[in-house]
Amino acid sequence: MSSNGAAGATGAQDAIVVGSGPNGLAAAITLARAGLAVRVIEGAATPGGGCRTEELTLPGFRHDVCSAVHPLAGASPFFAGTDLASRGVRLLTPKVAFAHPLDGGRAGAAVGSVAETAAGLGPDGAAYRRLVEPLVREMPLTLPTILGPLRSVPAHPLAMARYGLPGLLPASVLARRFRGDEAKVLVAGTAAHAMLPLTAPLTSAIGALFLMTAHSVGWPVVEGGSARIIDALVAELTSLGGRLETGRWVQALDSLPPARAVLLDVTPRQFIALAGGRLPARHRRALERFQYGPGVCKVDWALGGPVPWDAPACREAGTVHVGGTFAEVALSESDVAAGRHPEHPFCLVTQAGVVDPSRAPDGKQALWGYCHVPSGSTVDMSGRIEAQIERFAPGFRDLILARSVRTAAQMERYNPNDVGGDVSGGASTLRQTFFRPTPRWNPYRTALPGVYLCSSSTPPGGGVHGMCGDWAARTALADLGQRRSV
């Protein structure tokens, strides 16, 4: 095993990581903790991938460029072993994890405990408790498997069966357990994070995962912005002797300096381009079949004050799912899947200012939001998104001081990993849940010896949890005959 000190003296690298999103940095840190000399190369001027914070509208308004809410940062095994707090990261958890407004000032809301939420669901309260309480209770048993490659018998098979078997169902089936709109929209809003029609298999599993986290670790935001997570990871990597180089776009694997392992925080499309003629034809064809999901149209607003939601729960929520009833959300998602732009889109809205006043000048608010659109869309959906918010928060438009819009096509131009504006690294279909990115026993190895994929195109998929990078690094260490540091 080479030491970081020796490697630093010679300039040689044991491992190179291309891309400095959360997964690339997690991979680099896992390798560096094992004693390897690691170099991270990032094309953009700043590290972070989908975890950056910038002043996108007006001075003093700090907006998360992509990822804004971090339920998995508080639950991920990788972050559990990373002392973010000691490096200045404060996770701020709103009282209401998420709310979903309905007409007439009503809303479904995930508030604190399962019991507290159930108490607000009237006759659906008992059914909600029967569904969610076991999932929350067994989350410490199931989450390590959920955030893994799903290729071996789970350590707790019965708990996983209780989560996974109902999770195979479409969200449209799960919602039948409830009678009232308030409970049904809790399923709709969480399941719609899958960016699939709500009639698709596994949408129940996505919804259940987000309900579990809402009642266990909450849905926190990072004080000052999501970029603080990246700052902390870079600081740890540097303390371990790792190096970060920004502003260098890698055009081909052959252009990289020699290393014992190369880990790529890129999607299959970029990997094909980087590998060029080195990829065997069969593996190339398998990668070309990888399916990307819909895109997003992202809007950031500088507001003159808090959003005037009709429903009180929405005023205390860090995340607001805006889209109306279950049927309305389902129609929006089916429109996107069919290649149409919804007239009344389902929107994800984050108001970090509920718990983090540092995001905007006094009395003001920085608001974040997006809706799903067909892949590669060039349509500016800001008007339709604002109409949806105005529907449930009359007077919202009057508060807008400035806005920044990125269409799905512009999202990809900003971050090439967001292919077609897909911020999840690939579609969360049934096939790609179990075979992501291709049908290989170890999804992180590629057909090129010593080259690994560590992006969200590998298990467990999208989100700021670092587990794609951590699992890929573990694979590389095993292939190198080295052990991770505990």
Side-chain angles (χ1 to χ4, degrees), residues 7-44:
T10 64
Q13 300 299 311
D14 291 318
I16 291 176
V17 177
V18 177
S20 69
N23 283 311
L25 292 173
I29 288 169
T30 299
L31 295 169
R33 286 173 179 169
L36 271 65
V38 184
R39 178 180 177 187
V40 179
I41 301 175
E42 165 62 45

Side-chain angles (χ1 to χ4, degrees), residues 111-175:
V111 185
S113 69
V114 175
E116 188 177 358
T117 298
L121 297 177
D124 285 320
Y128 186 82
R129 290 184 69 155
R130 285 194 299 272
L131 171 67
V132 182
E133 274 185 343
L135 298 176
V136 173
R137 183 173 59 250
E138 295 180 336
M139 185 172 138
L141 307 181
T142 58
L143 193 66
T145 298
I146 295 168
L147 295 182
L150 298 179
R151 66 172 187 257
S152 58
V153 176
H156 302 280
L158 293 179
M160 272 306 297
R162 284 188 285 269
Y163 166 78
L165 293 179
L168 290 171
L169 298 172
S172 57
V173 174
L174 182 65

Side-chain angles (χ1 to χ4, degrees), residues 352-411:
V354 167
V355 287
D356 183 11
S358 73
R359 299 294 189 97
D362 288 347
K364 308 292 195 298
Q365 188 169 103
L367 194 70
W368 174 109
Y370 69 61
C371 73
H372 301 153
V373 293
S375 178
S377 167
T378 59
V379 175
D380 177 349
M381 295 286 285
S382 59
R384 299 185 209 186
I385 294 172
E386 289 170 7
Q388 285 286 69
I389 299 175
E390 182 78 20
R391 170 184 169 186
F392 300 105
F396 164 70
R397 287 195 180 104
D398 296 335
L399 294 171
I400 297 174
L401 305 175
R403 72 174 60 79
S404 170
V405 181
R406 280 198 175 119
T407 66
Q410 290 168 333
M411 291 291 288

